[in-house]
Amino acid sequence: MPRQTRRSAKAREAQSTSSEEDNSQILTNGNGSAHHDAPEAPDSTPKENIFLFWPNIIGYSRIVLAIASLYYMPLHPRTCSVLYSVSCLLDALDGWAARVFEQSTRFGAVLDMVTDRCTTSCLLVFLSSAFPRWAIVFQGLIALDFSSHYMHMYATLVVGGVDSSHKNIDKTQSWLLNMYYTNRNVLFTFCTFNELFFIALYLLSFSSPYLSPHLIKSVEESSGTQIDPGAQLNSSILSQIFPDPFSAAALELARANKMDSFVPWTLAGISFPVMFLKQVINVIQLVKASRWLADVDVKSRKAKGLPRKAVKAA
Protein backbone atom coordinates (compact mmCIF):
# COMPACT_ATOMS: atom_id res chain seq x y z
CA MET A 1 0.00 0.00 0.00
CA PRO A 2 1.48 3.40 -0.87
CA ARG A 3 2.63 5.61 1.97
CA GLN A 4 0.14 8.36 1.04
CA THR A 5 -2.77 5.93 1.22
CA ARG A 6 -1.69 4.73 4.67
CA ARG A 7 -1.46 8.30 5.92
CA SER A 8 -4.97 9.06 4.54
CA ALA A 9 -6.42 6.02 6.28
CA LYS A 10 -4.83 6.99 9.61
CA ALA A 11 -6.17 10.54 9.22
CA ARG A 12 -9.70 9.26 8.56
CA GLU A 13 -9.46 6.91 11.55
CA ALA A 14 -8.33 9.74 13.82
CA GLN A 15 -11.10 11.97 12.55
CA SER A 16 -13.68 9.21 13.14
CA THR A 17 -12.43 8.69 16.68
CA SER A 18 -12.62 12.43 17.35
CA SER A 19 -16.17 12.59 15.99
CA GLU A 20 -17.28 9.70 18.22
CA GLU A 21 -15.80 11.45 21.26
CA ASP A 22 -17.58 14.66 20.33
CA ASN A 23 -20.88 12.82 19.87
CA SER A 24 -20.39 11.10 23.20
CA GLN A 25 -19.73 14.47 24.80
CA ILE A 26 -22.86 15.92 23.20
CA LEU A 27 -25.00 13.00 24.36
CA THR A 28 -23.60 13.28 27.84
CA ASN A 29 -24.35 17.01 27.91
CA GLY A 30 -27.81 16.37 26.51
CA ASN A 31 -28.53 14.00 29.38
CA GLY A 32 -27.68 16.74 31.81
CA SER A 33 -24.45 15.30 33.28
CA ALA A 34 -23.17 17.51 36.08
CA HIS A 35 -19.56 16.57 35.27
CA HIS A 36 -19.54 17.94 31.74
CA ASP A 37 -22.21 20.69 31.67
CA ALA A 38 -21.06 24.21 32.35
CA PRO A 39 -23.24 25.79 35.08
CA GLU A 40 -25.69 28.32 33.68
CA ALA A 41 -25.47 31.86 34.98
CA PRO A 42 -28.33 32.55 37.40
CA ASP A 43 -30.93 35.08 36.22
CA SER A 44 -30.47 38.05 38.52
CA THR A 45 -33.46 39.94 37.06
CA PRO A 46 -36.38 39.92 39.52
CA LYS A 47 -39.59 38.37 38.22
CA GLU A 48 -42.19 41.02 37.43
CA ASN A 49 -45.77 40.75 38.61
CA ILE A 50 -47.80 42.10 35.71
CA PHE A 51 -50.95 42.18 37.81
CA LEU A 52 -49.41 44.75 40.16
CA PHE A 53 -48.29 47.21 37.48
CA TRP A 54 -49.56 50.71 38.14
CA PRO A 55 -51.76 50.91 35.01
CA ASN A 56 -53.44 47.63 35.97
CA ILE A 57 -53.98 48.79 39.56
CA ILE A 58 -55.71 51.86 38.13
CA GLY A 59 -57.76 49.47 35.99
CA TYR A 60 -58.87 47.57 39.10
CA SER A 61 -59.90 50.88 40.67
CA ARG A 62 -62.01 51.62 37.62
CA ILE A 63 -63.81 48.32 38.05
CA VAL A 64 -64.52 48.99 41.73
CA LEU A 65 -65.87 52.46 40.94
CA ALA A 66 -67.99 51.09 38.10
CA ILE A 67 -69.53 48.43 40.34
CA ALA A 68 -70.25 51.06 42.99
CA SER A 69 -71.94 53.26 40.40
CA LEU A 70 -74.15 50.35 39.34
CA TYR A 71 -75.18 49.85 42.97
CA TYR A 72 -76.31 53.48 43.25
CA MET A 73 -77.73 53.68 39.72
CA PRO A 74 -81.43 52.89 40.38
CA LEU A 75 -82.06 55.51 43.08
CA HIS A 76 -79.02 57.76 43.54
CA PRO A 77 -78.36 59.53 40.22
CA ARG A 78 -75.94 62.11 41.61
CA THR A 79 -73.74 59.59 43.41
CA CYS A 80 -73.89 57.21 40.47
CA SER A 81 -72.92 59.91 37.97
CA VAL A 82 -69.90 60.96 40.01
CA LEU A 83 -68.62 57.42 40.48
CA TYR A 84 -69.23 56.49 36.85
CA SER A 85 -67.53 59.67 35.56
CA VAL A 86 -64.44 59.14 37.72
CA SER A 87 -64.19 55.56 36.49
CA CYS A 88 -64.28 56.78 32.88
CA LEU A 89 -61.74 59.57 33.47
CA LEU A 90 -59.27 57.10 34.99
CA ASP A 91 -59.16 55.51 31.54
CA ALA A 92 -56.85 58.33 30.47
CA LEU A 93 -54.74 58.05 33.62
CA ASP A 94 -53.86 54.39 33.16
CA GLY A 95 -52.55 55.12 29.66
CA TRP A 96 -50.39 57.92 31.04
CA ALA A 97 -49.06 55.63 33.78
CA ALA A 98 -48.24 52.93 31.23
CA ARG A 99 -46.10 55.37 29.25
CA VAL A 100 -44.40 56.97 32.25
CA PHE A 101 -43.54 53.73 34.06
CA GLU A 102 -42.94 51.77 30.83
CA GLN A 103 -45.55 49.23 31.88
CA SER A 104 -47.59 48.76 28.72
CA THR A 105 -48.87 45.18 28.68
CA ARG A 106 -51.30 43.11 26.65
CA PHE A 107 -53.18 42.24 29.82
CA GLY A 108 -53.60 45.93 30.62
CA ALA A 109 -54.84 46.72 27.11
CA VAL A 110 -57.42 43.93 27.23
CA LEU A 111 -58.46 44.85 30.78
CA ASP A 112 -58.97 48.44 29.68
CA MET A 113 -61.09 47.48 26.69
CA VAL A 114 -63.20 44.96 28.61
CA THR A 115 -63.86 47.51 31.37
CA ASP A 116 -64.96 50.13 28.83
CA ARG A 117 -67.29 47.76 27.04
CA CYS A 118 -68.87 46.38 30.23
CA THR A 119 -69.45 49.71 31.99
CA THR A 120 -71.03 51.32 28.93
CA SER A 121 -73.21 48.27 28.35
CA CYS A 122 -74.47 48.28 31.94
CA LEU A 123 -75.47 51.94 31.63
CA LEU A 124 -77.24 51.25 28.34
CA VAL A 125 -79.12 48.37 29.97
CA PHE A 126 -80.43 50.78 32.59
CA LEU A 127 -81.42 53.27 29.89
CA SER A 128 -83.32 50.48 28.14
CA SER A 129 -85.42 50.01 31.25
CA ALA A 130 -85.78 53.76 31.83
CA PHE A 131 -86.89 54.38 28.23
CA PRO A 132 -88.60 51.14 27.17
CA ARG A 133 -89.81 52.56 23.86
CA TRP A 134 -86.16 53.13 22.86
CA ALA A 135 -84.88 49.84 24.24
CA ILE A 136 -84.18 48.45 20.78
CA VAL A 137 -81.90 51.43 20.05
CA PHE A 138 -79.86 50.88 23.20
CA GLN A 139 -79.72 47.15 22.54
CA GLY A 140 -78.44 47.89 19.04
CA LEU A 141 -75.75 50.19 20.44
CA ILE A 142 -74.58 47.45 22.80
CA ALA A 143 -74.43 44.92 19.97
CA LEU A 144 -72.56 47.34 17.69
CA ASP A 145 -70.05 48.27 20.38
CA PHE A 146 -69.19 44.67 21.26
CA SER A 147 -69.17 43.32 17.71
CA SER A 148 -67.05 46.10 16.20
CA HIS A 149 -64.37 45.97 18.89
CA TYR A 150 -64.23 42.17 18.99
CA MET A 151 -64.04 41.90 15.21
CA HIS A 152 -61.42 44.65 15.05
CA MET A 153 -59.17 43.10 17.70
CA TYR A 154 -59.44 39.62 16.19
CA ALA A 155 -58.67 40.93 12.70
CA THR A 156 -55.66 42.84 14.03
CA LEU A 157 -54.24 39.69 15.61
CA VAL A 158 -54.82 37.62 12.46
CA VAL A 159 -53.36 40.19 10.06
CA GLY A 160 -50.57 41.64 12.20
CA GLY A 161 -49.70 38.72 14.47
CA VAL A 162 -49.66 38.34 18.24
CA ASP A 163 -47.27 41.26 18.69
CA SER A 164 -49.62 43.71 17.00
CA SER A 165 -51.95 46.11 18.80
CA HIS A 166 -55.51 46.98 17.88
CA LYS A 167 -54.39 50.62 17.82
CA ASN A 168 -51.77 50.03 15.11
CA ILE A 169 -53.82 51.00 12.06
CA ASP A 170 -52.02 52.12 8.92
CA LYS A 171 -53.33 55.12 6.99
CA THR A 172 -53.61 52.99 3.87
CA GLN A 173 -56.04 50.74 5.70
CA SER A 174 -58.22 53.54 7.06
CA TRP A 175 -57.20 57.14 7.64
CA LEU A 176 -60.17 57.67 9.96
CA LEU A 177 -59.33 54.71 12.20
CA ASN A 178 -55.66 55.71 12.09
CA MET A 179 -56.49 59.20 13.38
CA TYR A 180 -58.93 57.79 15.95
CA TYR A 181 -56.44 55.36 17.50
CA THR A 182 -53.14 57.24 17.10
CA ASN A 183 -54.22 60.73 18.12
CA ARG A 184 -54.71 60.70 21.90
CA ASN A 185 -56.70 63.95 21.90
CA VAL A 186 -59.15 62.63 19.31
CA LEU A 187 -59.55 59.31 21.12
CA PHE A 188 -60.08 61.01 24.49
CA THR A 189 -62.61 63.46 23.05
CA PHE A 190 -64.70 60.78 21.35
CA CYS A 191 -64.73 58.45 24.34
CA THR A 192 -65.48 61.25 26.81
CA PHE A 193 -68.36 62.79 24.88
CA ASN A 194 -69.78 59.36 24.08
CA GLU A 195 -70.02 58.53 27.79
CA LEU A 196 -71.18 62.06 28.59
CA PHE A 197 -74.20 61.69 26.32
CA PHE A 198 -75.33 58.49 28.01
CA ILE A 199 -74.78 59.99 31.47
CA ALA A 200 -76.89 62.98 30.42
CA LEU A 201 -79.68 60.63 29.30
CA TYR A 202 -79.41 58.84 32.62
CA LEU A 203 -79.88 62.12 34.52
CA LEU A 204 -82.76 63.11 32.25
CA SER A 205 -84.55 59.91 33.18
CA PHE A 206 -84.79 61.36 36.70
CA SER A 207 -85.44 64.98 35.84
CA SER A 208 -87.14 65.57 32.49
CA PRO A 209 -90.96 65.47 32.28
CA TYR A 210 -90.61 65.08 28.50
CA LEU A 211 -88.63 61.85 28.64
CA SER A 212 -89.90 60.32 31.89
CA PRO A 213 -93.34 61.78 32.65
CA HIS A 214 -94.33 58.77 34.78
CA LEU A 215 -91.76 59.75 37.41
CA ILE A 216 -93.42 63.03 38.32
CA LYS A 217 -97.05 62.51 37.39
CA SER A 218 -99.61 61.38 39.89
CA VAL A 219 -101.11 57.92 39.93
CA GLU A 220 -104.29 59.15 38.27
CA GLU A 221 -102.38 60.93 35.49
CA SER A 222 -99.97 58.12 34.80
CA SER A 223 -102.23 55.07 35.09
CA GLY A 224 -105.66 56.55 34.39
CA THR A 225 -107.10 55.00 37.54
CA GLN A 226 -109.90 57.03 39.11
CA ILE A 227 -109.16 58.15 42.67
CA ASP A 228 -112.04 58.45 45.14
CA PRO A 229 -112.21 61.97 46.61
CA GLY A 230 -112.51 60.73 50.18
CA ALA A 231 -109.82 58.07 49.99
CA GLN A 232 -106.65 58.71 51.99
CA LEU A 233 -103.73 57.61 49.90
CA ASN A 234 -100.48 58.94 48.60
CA SER A 235 -101.06 60.01 45.02
CA SER A 236 -97.33 60.05 44.34
CA ILE A 237 -95.60 57.49 42.18
CA LEU A 238 -93.61 56.58 45.29
CA SER A 239 -96.58 54.69 46.70
CA GLN A 240 -96.51 52.39 43.67
CA ILE A 241 -92.86 51.50 44.17
CA PHE A 242 -92.24 51.56 47.92
CA PRO A 243 -94.51 50.30 50.73
CA ASP A 244 -93.33 53.20 52.90
CA PRO A 245 -93.29 56.54 51.01
CA PHE A 246 -91.02 57.99 53.71
CA SER A 247 -88.32 55.32 53.46
CA ALA A 248 -84.76 56.32 52.61
CA ALA A 249 -85.03 55.00 49.05
CA ALA A 250 -88.36 56.77 48.46
CA LEU A 251 -87.03 60.08 49.77
CA GLU A 252 -83.90 59.77 47.63
CA LEU A 253 -86.03 59.16 44.57
CA ALA A 254 -88.18 62.14 45.48
CA ARG A 255 -85.08 64.34 45.71
CA ALA A 256 -83.86 62.95 42.40
CA ASN A 257 -87.13 63.85 40.74
CA LYS A 258 -86.60 67.48 41.75
CA MET A 259 -83.37 67.70 39.77
CA ASP A 260 -83.10 70.51 37.28
CA SER A 261 -83.07 69.15 33.75
CA PHE A 262 -81.33 72.17 32.17
CA VAL A 263 -77.77 70.91 32.69
CA PRO A 264 -78.50 67.34 31.48
CA TRP A 265 -80.25 68.68 28.38
CA THR A 266 -77.29 70.95 27.66
CA LEU A 267 -74.79 68.12 28.07
CA ALA A 268 -76.90 65.85 25.86
CA GLY A 269 -77.13 68.48 23.13
CA ILE A 270 -73.38 69.17 23.13
CA SER A 271 -72.29 65.54 23.25
CA PHE A 272 -74.81 64.06 20.81
CA PRO A 273 -72.91 64.89 17.56
CA VAL A 274 -69.70 63.32 18.89
CA MET A 275 -71.61 60.29 20.19
CA PHE A 276 -73.20 59.84 16.76
CA LEU A 277 -69.80 60.04 15.04
CA LYS A 278 -68.48 57.48 17.52
CA GLN A 279 -71.16 55.05 16.38
CA VAL A 280 -70.26 55.78 12.75
CA ILE A 281 -66.64 54.89 13.58
CA ASN A 282 -67.85 51.64 15.18
CA VAL A 283 -69.67 50.77 11.95
CA ILE A 284 -66.60 51.59 9.84
CA GLN A 285 -64.43 49.56 12.21
CA LEU A 286 -66.77 46.58 11.90
CA VAL A 287 -66.85 46.77 8.08
CA LYS A 288 -63.07 47.20 7.75
CA ALA A 289 -62.32 44.32 10.11
CA SER A 290 -64.74 42.08 8.20
CA ARG A 291 -62.98 42.89 4.93
CA TRP A 292 -59.53 42.24 6.41
CA LEU A 293 -60.64 38.83 7.63
CA ALA A 294 -62.24 38.07 4.27
CA ASP A 295 -58.98 38.96 2.47
CA VAL A 296 -57.07 36.61 4.77
CA ASP A 297 -59.58 33.86 4.02
CA VAL A 298 -59.21 34.39 0.27
CA LYS A 299 -55.41 34.16 0.46
CA SER A 300 -55.60 31.09 2.70
CA ARG A 301 -58.00 29.30 0.35
CA LYS A 302 -55.84 30.18 -2.64
CA ALA A 303 -52.76 28.75 -0.92
CA LYS A 304 -54.66 25.50 -0.31
CA GLY A 305 -55.74 25.32 -3.94
CA LEU A 306 -59.36 26.10 -3.21
CA PRO A 307 -61.80 26.08 -4.82
CA ARG A 308 -60.88 22.88 -6.57
CA LYS A 309 -61.81 22.75 -10.21
CA ALA A 310 -64.40 20.12 -11.04
CA VAL A 311 -63.08 17.24 -13.11
CA LYS A 312 -64.80 17.23 -16.47
CA ALA A 313 -66.52 14.02 -17.38
CA ALA A 314 -64.86 12.14 -20.24
Side-chain angles (χ1 to χ4, degrees):
M1 181 181 292
R3 182 178 300 178
Q4 186 175 1
T5 305
R6 293 175 180 176
R7 289 180 179 177
S8 300
K10 290 182 179 180
R12 286 195 298 269
E13 183 180 356
Q15 184 177 2
S16 176
T17 304
S18 177
S19 300
E20 291 178 359
E21 292 178 355
D22 292 341
N23 291 336
S24 176
Q25 180 70 18
I26 292 173
L27 291 175
T28 304
N29 291 341
N31 290 330
S33 173
H35 299 285
H36 299 280
D37 287 343
E40 296 182 359
D43 188 5
S44 59
T45 305
K47 184 178 180 180
E48 293 183 310
N49 191 342
I50 300 297
F51 298 105
L52 296 181
F53 277 10
W54 284 112
N56 298 334
I57 293 177
I58 296 174
Y60 306 147
S61 302
R62 291 187 60 203
I63 296 175
V64 173
L65 290 171
I67 295 175
S69 69
L70 297 179
Y71 175 79
Y72 288 107
M73 188 171 286
L75 297 173
H76 300 73
R78 296 177 181 85
T79 304
C80 171
S81 298
V82 172
L83 294 173
Y84 189 92
S85 300
V86 173
S87 176
C88 293
L89 291 176
L90 287 178
D91 188 18
L93 183 61
D94 63 1
W96 172 84
R99 293 187 295 271
V100 170
F101 296 104
E102 296 182 345
Q103 293 180 341
S104 298
T105 58
R106 294 186 182 90
F107 171 76
V110 175
L111 176 67
D112 186 50
M113 176 177 288
V114 170
T115 303
D116 290 337
R117 305 283 75 76
C118 292
T119 51
T120 305
S121 299
C122 290
L123 179 56
L124 291 176
V125 168
F126 179 87
L127 293 178
S128 297
S129 61
F131 308 107
R133 292 184 179 180
W134 298 94
I136 189 173
V137 175
F138 297 118
Q139 291 168 350
L141 292 176
I142 294 174
L144 176 61
D145 194 32
F146 270 99
S147 60
S148 65
H149 283 84
Y150 175 81
M151 188 81 76
H152 175 72
M153 175 169 282
Y154 188 82
T156 304
L157 293 176
V158 171
V159 175
V162 295
D163 293 330
S164 61
S165 171
H166 67 281
K167 295 184 178 181
N168 295 335
I169 304 298
D170 191 78
K171 289 183 179 180
T172 58
Q173 295 175 311
S174 174
W175 67 268
L176 182 60
L177 293 179
N178 174 267
M179 179 183 65
Y180 176 76
Y181 279 114
T182 59
N183 192 316
R184 297 192 188 109
N185 295 329
V186 173
L187 182 62
F188 178 80
T189 300
F190 272 85
C191 294
T192 301
F193 278 81
N194 183 68
E195 297 294 342
L196 186 62
F197 176 77
F198 296 130
I199 293 174
L201 282 185
Y202 166 70
L203 293 176
L204 286 173
S205 68
F206 287 92
S207 60
S208 175
Y210 301 103
L211 297 181
S212 300
H214 60 281
L215 288 177
I216 58 178
K217 285 184 178 181
S218 65
V219 175
E220 182 178 6
E221 293 173 329
S222 59
S223 62
T225 304
Q226 184 67 29
I227 301 178
D228 296 333
Q232 295 183 359
L233 67 139
N234 191 334
S235 62
S236 169
I237 189 65
L238 302 178
S239 61
Q240 301 181 50
I241 304 176
F242 305 103
D244 182 7
F246 298 101
S247 64
L251 293 177
E252 177 62 27
L253 182 58
R255 286 193 295 269
N257 292 337
K258 295 180 181 179
M259 292 174 58
D260 186 8
S261 62
F262 174 77
V263 174
W265 273 118
T266 303
L267 295 177
I270 294 175
S271 58
F272 175 77
V274 182
M275 184 279 303
F276 182 79
L277 290 177
K278 176 70 167 60
Q279 308 313 316
V280 173
I281 291 177
N282 283 343
V283 173
I284 295 175
Q285 182 172 256
L286 178 62
V287 173
K288 290 288 185 181
S290 301
R291 290 180 177 177
W292 296 339
L293 290 175
D295 291 339
V296 172
D297 289 333
V298 169
K299 293 178 181 179
S300 176
R301 287 175 59 81
K302 185 177 181 180
K304 295 178 181 178
L306 298 175
R308 295 186 178 92
K309 295 182 180 179
V311 180
K312 295 183 179 179

